[in-house]
């Protein structure tokens, strides 16, 4: 039997919560266990209901979604947060990612995009639609911090634990490729890619795919600088 995804809706606008509830509960395997209109209520509801996923608005009165996300991820690491954003509010969304959110969802998303995002974040897979992935990759260096001149020894040690194939998968994740795209590029089956992704996340200590993307950029393994001067598994530059 398929596991039911238990969702908490957090938005200060009741009509938006009603609309999201109607869309989500029309889908098999998804149930809305509660709602909250601000960050304080969201934190309390997560403690009381232990949802699998929180659909989190960012701009709310009282405690905003960024602070609420940080508290929820810290206190309830098993609960994933999917933040609601718009293109003209990128800085808020990236703040939520820094706080520990696992993905973006546009407020004007189509029904199938919302369902796909919820299911993806729940399983720790591709949490972002391609257009949002591109936006993340375009902003990740200035918004989340450029690659360190001196790599973190712990991160370098974890990176060195990856096999050659797992490293290939990690770099592909960092470039924003989906599992299907990775499978095509590496000439392997998609189920094999899923296995590799799981091992990569576990070895790197990454909570989910989006944080693997951030790690790849922070280590300087993807992007223009990496293309010009790629790093070897031990963090040294290759000639």
């Amino acid at each position: 039997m398929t596991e039911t995804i238990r969702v908490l809706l957090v938005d200060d606008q009741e009509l938006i919560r009603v609309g999201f509830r109607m869309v989500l509960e029309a889908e098999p395997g998804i149930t809305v266990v509660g709602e909250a209109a601000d960050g304080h209520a969201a934190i309390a509801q997560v403690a009381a209901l232990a949802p699998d996923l929180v659909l989190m608005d960012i701009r709310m009165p009282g405690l905003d979604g960024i602070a609420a996300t940080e508290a929820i991820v810290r206190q309830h690491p098993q609960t994933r947060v999917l933040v609601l954003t718009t293109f003209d509010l990128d800085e808020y969304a990236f703040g939520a990612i820094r706080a520990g959110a696992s993905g973006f969802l546009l407020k004007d998303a189509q029904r199938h995009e919302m369902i796909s995002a919820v299911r993806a974040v729940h399983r720790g897979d591709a949490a972002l639609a391609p257009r949002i992935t591109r936006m993340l990759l375009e902003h990740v260096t200035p918004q989340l911090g450029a690659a360190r001149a001196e790599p973190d020894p712990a991160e370098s040690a974890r990176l060195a634990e990856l096999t050659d194939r797992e490293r290939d998968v990690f770099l592909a994740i960092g470039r924003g490729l989906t599992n299907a795209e990775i499978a095509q590029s590496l000439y392997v089956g998609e189920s094999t890619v899923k296995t590799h992704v799981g091992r990569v996340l576990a070895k790197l200590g990454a909570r989910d795919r989006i944080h693997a993307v951030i790690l790849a950029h922070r280590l300087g393994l993807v992007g223009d600088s990496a293309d010009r001067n790629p790093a070897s598994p031990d963090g040294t530059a290759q000639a």
Side-chain angles (χ1 to χ4, degrees), residues 57-111:
D57 189 20
I58 293 180
R59 302 188 72 187
M60 297 181 292
L63 191 70
D64 67 23
I66 295 176
T69 294
E70 184 176 13
I72 289 169
V73 170
R74 182 178 66 250
Q75 298 170 19
H76 308 278
Q78 74 283 359
T79 298
R80 298 183 184 276
V81 179
L82 176 61
V83 298
L84 295 166
T85 184
T86 58
F87 276 123
D88 59 340
L89 293 176
D90 292 352
E91 68 275 16
Y92 293 101
F94 287 113
I97 292 298
R98 286 194 298 270
S102 295
F104 295 109
L105 180 65
L106 296 181
K107 279 200 170 183
D108 63 352
Q110 299 296 312
R111 181 190 186 103

Side-chain angles (χ1 to χ4, degrees), residues 130-165:
R131 57 179 171 157
I132 306 304
T133 302
R134 287 192 294 271
M135 183 177 73
L136 173 64
L137 296 181
E138 289 169 0
H139 290 76
V140 69
T141 298
Q143 292 290 342
L144 298 172
R148 299 189 184 100
E150 295 295 332
D152 184 306
E155 290 180 344
S156 296
R158 289 194 291 268
L159 180 62
E161 293 179 3
L162 299 182
T163 66
D164 289 344
R165 180 45 57 94

